[in-house]
Structures are given as C-alpha cells and as structure tokens.
C-alpha cells in the first residue's frame, strides 16, 4: 500500500515537472533547412528583443524538391515561410529579409516560421513555392524579382495560401500581392552624401554597380544622381551592369573596374558589401546596401538599408486577422521599414561623413526627419523639373512622377500605363540606357 501511494506521488511529481518544462519553452526563431547553420543576428535597434532566443531549429528530414529540403509546418500555429535568393547570412539583401523573419517569430504570437535559402529564380523556385504550399504554409514571402512569375503561377493553384512577392509589379489582388518600399528616398540622401564626399576629395566622379536592367535599378540609380547633383552639381556618375543579384567575385570585379576608371565613391545595387571592401583596398569610398550591418569597414561611407521586421510583422498579423488584402503595397520611410546608416537613432556618423560640411549633414538630417514623418515621399524625390542626361525635360516643373512611372518601362502594363515612365538616366549619369530587349 505504502509502495503504491509513493509510486503515485512520484508519478504526479513527474507529470507536473514535464508540464512546467513545456510551458517554459522559449520562442523559436525560423526553422532552417537541414544542414544550415544560423547566424548570430545583430542587436535590433527598432524594437526590444526577447531575452531568451535560441538559434533557428533544425527541422527533421523532410520532403525534398530539386535538392531543397522543404521544412515542416507546426500544427496549431500560423505557418510563415520565406524563400531567399542568396544565403541568409550574406551581409546584405537576404540577411535583411531573414532578420525580418526572425522579428516576425519573436513579435507575432502563435506563429511558426521557416526559410529556404539559395533558391535560383525560374523553374526551381516555382517547385519550391509549390512544395511549401502543399506542406500547408499559410503565408509565403518570396524575396527576389525573378520569383514573381513562379509565385503568380503557384498562387492560382492554392487560393487559400497568401503569397507576398518583394519587388516586381504583379498582383492578383486576392492571394498574390506585391510588396516593396521607397528605397529611392534613402538612395537620394546617400547620393547627397556621396556628392559632398567626392567634391571634398577633389574628384567629382561616382559609380553605380547595377544588377539587372529593370525599372527598379534605373529608379534607384536616378535617385542617387538627383541627390548627388544637390551637393555637387559638377559631379558625374558611371554605371556598370553586372547581371547578378549575388556574386561576391563579380561584385568585387565591377567595383574595382569603377574605381580604376576614376570613381571616388561607388554604390552597389547587389547583395553583398563587396563594394566597401574594394574601397578599403583602393583608399576610396563605397556605399553598401540592404542590411544595417553591411557598413562595417572604415571606407564604407554609408548604407541605405531595409528594416523588414515591422513591415513583415504588420502583414503577418493582418493576414491572421483577415484585415490585410494583397495588392500593391509600397511603403515609404514613415513605415519604419527604411534606414540610412549613420543617421538613425543610436548610430554615429561614419569616418567618411564626419568631416563633410556641416550644412550638408544638417540638410540630410532635416530631410530624413521629414521622410520619417511622412512629409517627404518618393514622389517628392521625383518632382519636376527633372532633366535626363541628354538635356530633355523628363518631368516638368510642378509635376511629379506617380507609382506607375516609378515601376515601369514604357508604355506600362495595360490599365496601368505610365506617363513619364522609368526609362531615362538623370542629368550627370554618363552611361547609355540598356536595351529593352535585354
């Protein structure tokens, strides 16, 4: 009898211990594909992070598609997946998105997140999106321009799954939406800084390492040039097309080519901070892109970057609540989704900015404050009068480009035709326009 009572007491204690241990489980960051290590993410400045956070959990061996392990969902939770074009710790574009996903995991209740990295654009990505949908993911983010058509195709097959494509221009306005932000604002400010730096150094030449000949890359290049001419009217900017989003070797070669051709400051539109590394070697200046942690060497002048966490969290919660409708979602700086390194709260000016004229730094700070308050938007960046590099008036005084102009080559999509369109180089750019047949 005593033995039976003692056994029951011990059993009860064991059960209670297991229940308490289960309740104490910390929030799990995104599940990584098999055999993928998680990076140590930098401290977030926009929102406090939970004290106890483990590294991304390794999923059990799962379905494989085209060599990619498809992560499992968690029953009873809202499951969010992300497809990355590059490695999640690339120091640029993909890492910024990955950290946005971590933010979702830590700040939206009852979600499970997972990601697949190094997914090429095209047929391979279509199979990955389809496999994630079959697995039962509720919301899927695709983070590269070339994922657009594959996501559109798969979205038509799975009407109960929500797909959000970053960049691009397509949406079915039901379960396939387009998402991007006004990075042209930050590139415009960075252009002002770069122009002032080149002028101070006595070498009024900039370079722009562009990826693919798409409207986005012309838009960002033009924003740089418009800002550059505000602080250095005599400055010019050369352009190199590299036709890749992520290739550290090609990025370094293109950066070196621009520096060797005479550029004092070089911008990148690609994923890694290679441009700053080359600037360090050359004794010049590089402007990195995408990730807050990319400006890590002395010769990095600044970095326009994305802060995807608050944006992704808002969308995720909206899809859960049924209040978010996929469409064309283009956010400005007042969303908290954009930053300019050296000027945001808690940051200091980089070495390359500390000796710039005080009036330039003040102008940039004041204009950034207006952007963050929603008083200066992307349409103000592209307000007339704007001339192209042939002397033609592109946008007359008193006019502003609209979203259809920012997003498209002429003539634009049926029903969304553009008036001014994004097929021109701004005054000061010495390159020729890419062929629309490329």
């Amino acid at each position: 009898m005593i033995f039976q009572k003692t056994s029951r007491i011990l059993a009860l204690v064991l059960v209670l211990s297991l229940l308490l241990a289960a309740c104490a489980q910390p929030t799990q960051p995104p599940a990584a594909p098999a055999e993928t290590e998680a990076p140590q993410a930098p401290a977030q400045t926009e929102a406090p992070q939970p004290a106890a956070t483990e590294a991304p959990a390794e999923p059990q061996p799962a379905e494989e598609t085209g060599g990619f392990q498809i992560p499992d969902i968690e029953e009873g939770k809202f499951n969010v997946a992300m497809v990355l074009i590059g490695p999640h710790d690339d120091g640029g574009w993909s890492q910024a998105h990955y950290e946005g996903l971590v933010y979702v995991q830590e700040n939206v209740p009852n979600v499970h997140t997972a990601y697949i990295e190094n997914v090429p654009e095209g047929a391979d990505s279509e199979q990955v999106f389809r496999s994630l949908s079959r697995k039962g993911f509720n919301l899927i983010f695709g983070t590269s321009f070339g994922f657009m058509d594959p996501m559109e195709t798969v979205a038509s097959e799975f009407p109960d799954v929500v797909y959000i494509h970053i960049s691009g221009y397509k949406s079915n306005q039901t379960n396939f939406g387009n998402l991007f932000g006004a990075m042209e604002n930050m590139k415009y400010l960075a252009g002002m800084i770069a122009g002032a730096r080149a002028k101070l150094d006595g070498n009024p030449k900039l370079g722009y390492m562009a990826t693919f000949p798409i409207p986005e890359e012309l838009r960002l290049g033009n924003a740089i040039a418009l800002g550059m001419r505000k602080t250095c009217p005599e400055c010019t900017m050369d352009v190199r097309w590299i036709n890749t989003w992520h290739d550290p070797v090609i990025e370094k070669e293109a950066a070196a080519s621009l520096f060797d051709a005479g550029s004092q400051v070089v911008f990148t539109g690609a994923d890694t901070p290679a441009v700053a590394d080359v600037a360090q070697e050359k004794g010049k200046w590089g402007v990195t892109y995408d990730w807050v942690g990319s400006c890590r060497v002395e010769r990095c002048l600044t970095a326009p970057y994305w802060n995807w966490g608050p944006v992704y969290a808002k969308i995720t919660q909206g899809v859960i609540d049924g209040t978010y409708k996929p469409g064309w979602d283009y956010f400005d700086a007042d969303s908290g989704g954009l930053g300019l390194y050296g000027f945001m709260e808690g940051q200091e000016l980089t070495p390359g900015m500390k000796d710039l004229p005080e009036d330039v730094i003040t102008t940039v700070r004041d204009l950034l404050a207006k952007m963050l308050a929603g008083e200066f938007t992307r349409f103000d960046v592209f307000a007339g009068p704007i001339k192209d590099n042939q002397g033609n008036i592109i946008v007359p005084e008193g006019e502003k480009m609209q979203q259809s102009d920012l997003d498209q080559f002429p003539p634009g999509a049926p029903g969304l035709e553009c008036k001014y369109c994004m097929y021109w180089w701004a005054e000061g750019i010495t390159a020729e326009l890419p062929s629309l047949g490329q």
Side-chain angles (χ1 to χ4, degrees):
M1 180 70 71
I2 293 174
F3 176 77
Q4 290 176 341
K5 286 183 179 180
T6 303
S7 299
R8 289 174 183 170
I9 291 170
L10 289 172
L12 180 59
V13 169
L14 178 60
V15 170
L16 288 172
S17 298
L18 291 172
L19 287 172
L20 287 171
C23 292
Q25 293 284 339
T27 301
Q28 296 288 332
E35 300 182 8
T36 301
E37 295 182 359
Q40 293 184 346
Q44 297 285 332
T45 57
E46 276 71 17
Q49 300 300 308
T53 301
E54 296 182 358
E58 298 283 349
Q60 296 298 315
E63 172 190 342
E64 184 171 308
T65 296
F68 296 99
Q69 293 288 341
I70 306 302
D72 291 322
I73 64 168
E74 286 191 14
E75 295 293 341
K77 291 190 176 183
F78 186 83
N79 290 275
V80 182
M82 178 174 285
V83 180
L84 301 170
I85 184 85
H88 71 286
D89 55 356
D90 67 350
W93 173 258
S94 291
Q95 187 156 355
H97 287 288
Y98 169 77
E99 291 182 6
L101 189 64
V102 172
Y103 185 98
V104 170
Q105 180 69 66
E106 294 174 347
N107 291 276
V108 181
N110 199 41
V111 299
H112 165 66
T113 58
Y115 68 97
I116 302 179
E117 60 190 347
N118 295 314
V119 178
E121 297 171 331
D124 285 344
S125 70
E126 181 175 324
Q127 292 305 314
V128 168
F129 287 112
R130 185 172 288 111
S131 295
L132 288 168
S133 304
R134 286 173 177 157
K135 273 284 185 177
F137 282 91
N138 307 104
L139 172 61
I140 303 174
F141 292 100
T143 65
S144 192
F145 183 87
F147 293 161
M148 179 173 64
D149 291 341
M151 291 181 75
E152 181 184 36
T153 297
V154 175
S156 67
E157 302 170 8
F158 297 88
D160 294 331
V161 180
V162 175
Y163 303 83
I164 302 297
H165 176 238
I166 287 79
S167 75
Y169 52 86
K170 289 185 177 182
S171 170
N172 64 11
Q173 300 187 72
T174 53
N175 72 322
F176 171 54
N178 171 257
L179 174 69
F180 211 48
M183 183 51 71
E184 49 269 23
N185 291 11
M186 301 300 123
K187 295 279 188 173
Y188 178 74
L189 296 177
M192 294 173 66
I193 295 166
R197 182 73 256 175
K199 186 174 184 177
L200 184 64
D201 291 346
N203 180 18
K205 295 181 180 180
L206 274 63
Y208 173 42
M209 188 168 64
T211 55
F212 295 95
I214 57 177
E216 174 190 334
E217 291 294 83
L218 271 72
R219 179 175 70 244
L220 297 181
N222 282 330
I224 294 167
L226 292 170
M228 168 190 78
R229 301 284 280 197
K230 291 291 184 182
T231 57
C232 182
E234 68 273 25
C235 277
T236 59
M237 187 171 80
D238 195 6
V239 178
R240 293 283 190 280
W241 295 102
I242 61 173
N243 295 303
T244 181
W245 294 113
H246 178 89
D247 189 318
V249 173
I250 291 177
E251 292 173 50
K252 284 188 175 183
E253 290 173 348
S257 172
L258 284 163
F259 283 126
D260 291 344
S263 293
Q264 185 68 13
V265 185
V266 174
F267 285 73
T268 184
D271 290 358
T272 80
V275 65
D277 295 335
V278 178
Q280 190 78 8
E281 298 169 4
K282 302 284 186 180
K284 295 189 177 183
W285 303 100
V287 178
T288 57
Y289 183 29
D290 294 325
W291 181 50
V292 64
S294 65
C295 201
R296 60 195 182 193
V297 298
E298 183 181 4
R299 284 286 172 164
C300 178
L301 185 61
T302 186
Y305 66 87
W306 301 94
N307 182 31
W308 290 105
V311 177
Y312 284 153
K314 183 178 180 181
I315 291 172
T316 301
Q317 190 63 61
V319 174
I320 292 171
D321 296 340
T323 57
Y324 184 82
K325 181 181 178 181
W328 289 272
D329 189 348
Y330 202 103
F331 56 88
D332 253 299
D334 57 350
S335 65
L338 302 170
L340 182 67
Y341 190 75
F343 289 89
M344 311 308 288
E345 184 177 355
Q347 298 174 359
E348 296 182 358
L349 295 178
T350 65
M353 293 192 287
K354 287 182 177 178
D355 62 341
L356 293 181
E358 186 176 341
D359 64 318
V360 171
I361 298 300
T362 299
T363 299
V364 171
R365 287 194 192 281
D366 291 347
L367 192 51
L368 176 61
K370 289 183 178 180
M371 290 178 178
L372 297 175
E375 298 169 3
F376 189 99
T377 72
R378 59 194 184 275
F379 305 120
D380 296 304
V381 171
F382 290 99
I386 296 177
K387 288 184 179 180
D388 68 9
N389 61 356
Q390 304 300 312
N392 303 308
I393 296 292
I394 295 297
V395 183
E397 188 168 1
E399 296 287 318
K400 295 181 180 180
M401 297 188 102
Q402 300 302 311
Q403 194 61 49
S404 58
D405 298 309
L406 300 180
D407 283 343
Q408 301 182 94
F409 289 143
L416 291 171
E417 290 81 4
C418 49
K419 181 178 180 181
Y420 301 117
C421 309
M422 193 52 69
Y423 188 59
W424 49 277
W425 280 132
E427 192 174 19
I429 295 178
T430 59
E432 295 183 1
L433 285 168
S435 170
L436 290 183
Q438 285 184 302

